[in-house]
Amino acid sequence: MAGIIDVRRLNFSFGSGEIERPVLKDVTLSIDKGEIVLMTGPSGSGKTTFLTIVGGLRQACHGSVHVLDQQLVGSEEQVRIKIRQQTGYIFQQHNLLKALTALQNVSMALEMHDTMTEQQRLDRAAAMLDAVGLGDRMDYRPEQLSGGQRQRVSIARALVGQPKIILADEPTASLDKQSGYEAVGMLKRLAKERGTTILLVTHDYRILDIADRVVELEDGVIRNA
């Protein structure tokens, strides 16, 4: 049975003609529901490109990319929007809005849920911040939080919409060893409780033991799927 993420013979290049640069080469990878997969590999190997294609943030034209039973290769924008609505994203630099509090940053992720009132969004955001250990920091702005705390806000924001998939791009790169391990450990625990699938791109070999499986992408090619 195909996984919740099922990629077959995916090829992707930047540019065209004489300046065409292949980035992903015949990539095949399947990830099951609730599985935590870490993707490692050197800089420039195509990891972030792969993540953005799976997350519906970038269009691919060659191969097959089935996510949540939707074909993304050659898809209409509406299909990719549907995938984005069911996916939580965590980035290296947090991407928190500086003018907003932690509570406001997290509740913003629920604005696409038009069946919820503003108070319901705030209540769910508060519960999520409490779950990541920031119940006493809800009214703090990003500059008032440590790097580890900002990443916890980012994790809360990614999970608050109860996504089926979490895509994380180098989430520990700007954190020290302890903060990084605590952040991904918390992500793993909360995702496992909800049966959420995680694909996490990392250079950080200190966190490999949180994964159910580790795959390596090198020069655009999966070495050990």
PDB file of all heavy atoms in Angstrom, residues 14 63 68 76:
ATOM      1  N   PHE A  14      16.633  23.179 -12.054  1.00  0.00           N
ATOM      2  CA  PHE A  14      16.512  24.624 -12.129  1.00  0.00           C
ATOM      3  C   PHE A  14      17.065  25.082 -13.468  1.00  0.00           C
ATOM      4  O   PHE A  14      18.077  24.544 -13.954  1.00  0.00           O
ATOM      5  CB  PHE A  14      17.290  25.297 -10.999  1.00  0.00           C
ATOM      6  CG  PHE A  14      16.648  25.141  -9.642  1.00  0.00           C
ATOM      7  CD1 PHE A  14      17.286  24.467  -8.619  1.00  0.00           C
ATOM      8  CD2 PHE A  14      15.389  25.680  -9.403  1.00  0.00           C
ATOM      9  CE1 PHE A  14      16.697  24.323  -7.377  1.00  0.00           C
ATOM     10  CE2 PHE A  14      14.791  25.544  -8.159  1.00  0.00           C
ATOM     11  CZ  PHE A  14      15.446  24.866  -7.146  1.00  0.00           C
ATOM     12  N   GLY A  63       7.769  12.790 -13.104  1.00  0.00           N
ATOM     13  CA  GLY A  63       7.677  11.774 -12.072  1.00  0.00           C
ATOM     14  C   GLY A  63       6.310  11.795 -11.417  1.00  0.00           C
ATOM     15  O   GLY A  63       5.333  12.328 -11.977  1.00  0.00           O
ATOM     16  N   LEU A  68      -1.155  12.574   0.495  1.00  0.00           N
ATOM     17  CA  LEU A  68      -2.537  12.500   0.969  1.00  0.00           C
ATOM     18  C   LEU A  68      -3.487  12.165  -0.182  1.00  0.00           C
ATOM     19  O   LEU A  68      -4.559  12.762  -0.333  1.00  0.00           O
ATOM     20  CB  LEU A  68      -2.941  13.807   1.658  1.00  0.00           C
ATOM     21  CG  LEU A  68      -2.100  14.200   2.877  1.00  0.00           C
ATOM     22  CD1 LEU A  68      -2.454  15.605   3.346  1.00  0.00           C
ATOM     23  CD2 LEU A  68      -2.303  13.202   4.007  1.00  0.00           C
ATOM     24  N   GLU A  76      -3.076  21.399 -10.463  1.00  0.00           N
ATOM     25  CA  GLU A  76      -3.608  22.750 -10.383  1.00  0.00           C
ATOM     26  C   GLU A  76      -3.262  23.357  -9.019  1.00  0.00           C
ATOM     27  O   GLU A  76      -3.050  22.642  -8.034  1.00  0.00           O
ATOM     28  CB  GLU A  76      -5.128  22.734 -10.565  1.00  0.00           C
ATOM     29  CG  GLU A  76      -5.600  22.190 -11.903  1.00  0.00           C
ATOM     30  CD  GLU A  76      -5.235  23.119 -13.053  1.00  0.00           C
ATOM     31  OE1 GLU A  76      -5.148  24.345 -12.817  1.00  0.00           O
ATOM     32  OE2 GLU A  76      -5.044  22.615 -14.178  1.00  0.00           O
TER      33      GLU A  76
END
